[in-house]
Amino acid sequence: MPSPDDPAEALAAVVALRRYADALERKAVGAALKQGWSWSDIAQALGVSKQAAHKRLSGSVTDQDS
């Protein structure tokens, strides 16, 4: 874990972690949809509303992602 005392290193790590988390989320949502999960199920697992999950993720989930 980078030290927060080195802002350049710490912020670069934050960017990398966000990109990784976003990619993991897209893949997990794609897999969930393939397994028959509803957007309500996915939203509940993510702790957001169904509308928020669908709006944020439906366009980014493709067969390639799952």
Side-chain angles (χ1 to χ4, degrees):
M1 201 65 153
S3 169
D5 295 330
D6 182 349
E9 188 176 317
L11 293 171
V14 168
V15 170
L17 288 168
R18 283 185 181 149
R19 287 180 180 161
Y20 179 77
D22 288 344
L24 178 59
E25 182 179 55
R26 283 192 310 273
K27 289 180 181 191
V29 169
L33 290 169
K34 278 190 169 184
Q35 292 177 23
W37 286 39
S38 69
W39 280 104
S40 294
D41 296 331
I42 293 166
Q44 184 176 9
L46 293 173
V48 299
S49 72
K50 175 184 169 183
Q51 293 81 6
H54 190 267
K55 182 178 180 180
R56 185 165 53 95
L57 295 163
S58 66
S60 66
V61 176
T62 65
D63 291 336
Q64 176 180 329
D65 288 332
S66 55

